[in-house]
Amino acid sequence: MGAVTSSMAAKFAFFPPNPPSYGVVVEESTGKLKLTEVAAKENVDILKLPTKKGTEIVAVYIRNPAAMLTVLYSHGNAADLGQMYELFIELSHLLRVNLMGYDYSGYGRSTGKPSEQNTYADIEAAYRCLEETYGVKEEDVILYGQSVGSGPTLDLASRLSRLRAVVLHSPILSGLRVMYAVKRTYWFDIYKNIDKIPLVECPVLIIHGTADDVVDCSHGKQLFELSKQKYEPLWVKTGNHCDLELFPEYIIHLKKFISAIEKSTSFRNVSALCMNQIDKPRSSTDCRPRLSTDQREKSRLSTEKRELRTSTDQRDKSRASIDRKEKSSKSVDLSDKANDNTEQPEKARKSIDRFGNMMRSAVLCNIDCFKPVGANV
């Protein structure tokens, strides 16, 4: 039955880029694998991982020397590692995490054909590599699933009791529910996230655009309600399915989440922290409409200044005064900046600007993913 389901789903649910955006070659000098069409980085490993389904998937592992946590990222539809590579590099840098991304079977240079069951085997192979090759512990892993990637992400998360956290980016309730407002789960449906998320024991952050015309924002909101350990969600006003990374609040909220998870010393502390985040008044940066270019520049600068808890007047004061403020501050964002040798507002703003500019040239997913011909979402 599962094979029939996957066969039916593969006809409309998977859109691997054709041709792939990259190649995989062996460096003669080192004998290591490298991706073509992207810039080689010393802190990036290229891997080929066997899966229990008999396929071989391509993965990238990005090391960050300041990392406490590791993100396992399952990307969206109609994308591959070549297109996601620069985003992964930037996320690892800005969030100060190690990051592994992988291509599903049949995507990029991974062998085999795309199917629901194959994606479950794919993420298991990537997770096993983190444990066996890099010595990553389950409690130090954050699973990140974007769009169709929310399927394998929640499937694995529902089976890991000590997982640190989950991020769901434009997630789906199930494949069928993207197309039709069904009230029950059918055997032929795929990625039954609505049934799996209540089994996830760790904190869950959900990010969804309110103007998503592929996967309605109601999917994210219902998954939020069904989560056991809720973290303050991010509903991006006017955000669509494939552009959330372009909004400044996206990276700001993610950084806040990662910092909170890092600072939690136990699972219970994380749970209490999550509920406190939800009880607090919503920040204006969590849900604001798109602004003009000038307004966005001012808004980003203002937001980053608030994160650093410093102003032009404060910078003009004596160094001793600033040191006292830095030592006494308990804000998550200030701690992040202090660890980065006290980044200045202009530097932080430019970092987010570079992130947005980079994302404008990236192809993240097919806007028609999950949408068969003639169907209305």
Side-chain angles (χ1 to χ4, degrees), residues 116-318:
E116 178 188 13
Q117 296 304 317
N118 275 351
T119 62
Y120 296 157
D122 298 337
I123 194 172
E124 286 179 9
Y127 177 74
R128 185 171 62 249
C129 176
L130 287 178
E131 284 191 316
E132 297 177 356
T133 303
Y134 296 101
V136 179
K137 298 179 180 179
E138 178 181 330
E139 54 266 31
D140 293 329
V141 174
I142 297 175
L143 298 184
Y144 189 120
Q146 178 184 4
S147 187
V148 68
S150 62
T153 292
L154 280 177
D155 183 76
L156 181 59
S158 67
R159 294 181 282 115
L160 296 177
S161 61
R162 293 180 289 110
L163 193 65
R164 192 62 166 267
V166 167
V167 178
L168 300 177
H169 175 148
S170 305
I172 65 173
L173 286 169
S174 72
L176 187 61
R177 286 174 172 85
V178 174
M179 298 179 292
Y180 308 106
V182 296
K183 301 299 183 182
R184 53 167 293 186
T185 299
Y186 294 89
W187 67 266
F188 53 84
D189 201 356
I190 64 170
Y191 297 132
K192 304 175 183 69
N193 293 339
I194 188 173
D195 298 327
K196 294 177 181 179
I197 197 165
L199 305 177
V200 176
E201 300 291 343
C202 64
V204 176
L205 165 63
I206 296 181
I207 303 172
H208 214 124
T210 62
D212 194 324
D213 58 5
V214 176
V215 180
D216 191 80
C217 191
S218 60
H219 286 244
K221 291 181 177 179
Q222 191 167 345
L223 289 173
F224 170 75
E225 293 299 330
L226 292 171
S227 300
K228 280 186 178 180
Q229 306 293 342
K230 298 175 174 63
Y231 185 87
E232 179 186 9
L234 175 60
W235 312 122
V236 183
K237 283 190 176 178
T238 75
N240 209 314
H241 193 64
C242 302
D243 64 357
L244 301 188
E245 297 88 347
L246 301 180
F247 291 78
E249 54 263 45
Y250 165 80
I251 194 64
I252 291 170
H253 201 79
L254 261 181
K255 288 174 71 174
K256 183 174 69 171
F257 176 67
I258 297 294
S259 296
I261 295 300
E262 282 181 342
K263 288 173 173 55
S264 62
T265 57
S266 70
F267 184 82
R268 288 184 179 180
N269 286 351
V270 174
S271 177
L273 180 148
C274 292
M275 297 311 297
N276 288 339
Q277 289 288 347
I278 296 170
D279 292 338
K280 290 179 180 178
R282 296 298 299 278
S283 169
S284 62
T285 62
D286 289 345
C287 209
R288 64 166 177 249
R290 296 298 294 270
L291 305 174
S292 67
T293 301
D294 290 340
Q295 288 175 316
R296 287 199 303 271
E297 289 293 322
K298 293 177 181 178
S299 176
R300 280 194 292 267
L301 181 57
S302 175
T303 301
E304 289 302 311
K305 284 181 179 178
R306 287 197 299 272
E307 286 189 329
L308 293 166
R309 296 297 190 270
T310 185
S311 65
T312 303
D313 292 337
Q314 288 175 318
R315 291 196 300 271
D316 290 337
K317 293 181 179 179
S318 66

Side-chain angles (χ1 to χ4, degrees), residues 308 319 322 326 334 336-344:
L308 293 166
R319 183 64 207 177
I322 294 179
E326 289 175 343
L334 183 53
D336 288 344
K337 302 306 179 183
N339 290 334
D340 290 333
N341 295 322
T342 316
E343 292 179 1
Q344 295 301 317

Side-chain angles (χ1 to χ4, degrees), residues 21-180:
S21 68
Y22 68 94
V24 181
V25 298
V26 178
E27 277 187 319
E28 294 183 3
S29 59
T30 63
K32 295 181 178 180
L33 296 175
K34 74 172 185 178
L35 300 185
T36 63
E37 313 304 327
V38 300
K41 304 282 186 180
E42 291 185 359
N43 65 323
V44 178
D45 295 340
I46 308 302
L47 309 156
K48 286 187 176 181
L49 309 175
T51 77
K52 66 182 183 182
K53 291 290 187 178
T55 65
E56 188 177 61
I57 62 171
V58 181
V60 298
Y61 178 76
I62 304 164
R63 295 181 299 278
N64 186 314
M68 295 174 60
L69 303 173
T70 299
V71 171
L72 177 52
Y73 195 117
S74 301
H75 63 66
N77 220 338
D80 63 21
L81 287 181
Q83 296 166 338
M84 302 297 295
Y85 184 80
E86 290 300 329
L87 171 62
F88 288 165
I89 296 291
E90 198 72 6
L91 283 176
S92 174
H93 170 68
L94 291 175
L95 301 177
R96 296 191 308 162
V97 296
N98 302 316
L99 189 147
M100 174 172 277
Y102 65 99
D103 266 339
Y104 310 117
S105 297
Y107 280 66
R109 297 298 176 178
S110 296
T111 65
K113 295 182 179 180
S115 73
E116 178 188 13
Q117 296 304 317
N118 275 351
T119 62
Y120 296 157
D122 298 337
I123 194 172
E124 286 179 9
Y127 177 74
R128 185 171 62 249
C129 176
L130 287 178
E131 284 191 316
E132 297 177 356
T133 303
Y134 296 101
V136 179
K137 298 179 180 179
E138 178 181 330
E139 54 266 31
D140 293 329
V141 174
I142 297 175
L143 298 184
Y144 189 120
Q146 178 184 4
S147 187
V148 68
S150 62
T153 292
L154 280 177
D155 183 76
L156 181 59
S158 67
R159 294 181 282 115
L160 296 177
S161 61
R162 293 180 289 110
L163 193 65
R164 192 62 166 267
V166 167
V167 178
L168 300 177
H169 175 148
S170 305
I172 65 173
L173 286 169
S174 72
L176 187 61
R177 286 174 172 85
V178 174
M179 298 179 292
Y180 308 106

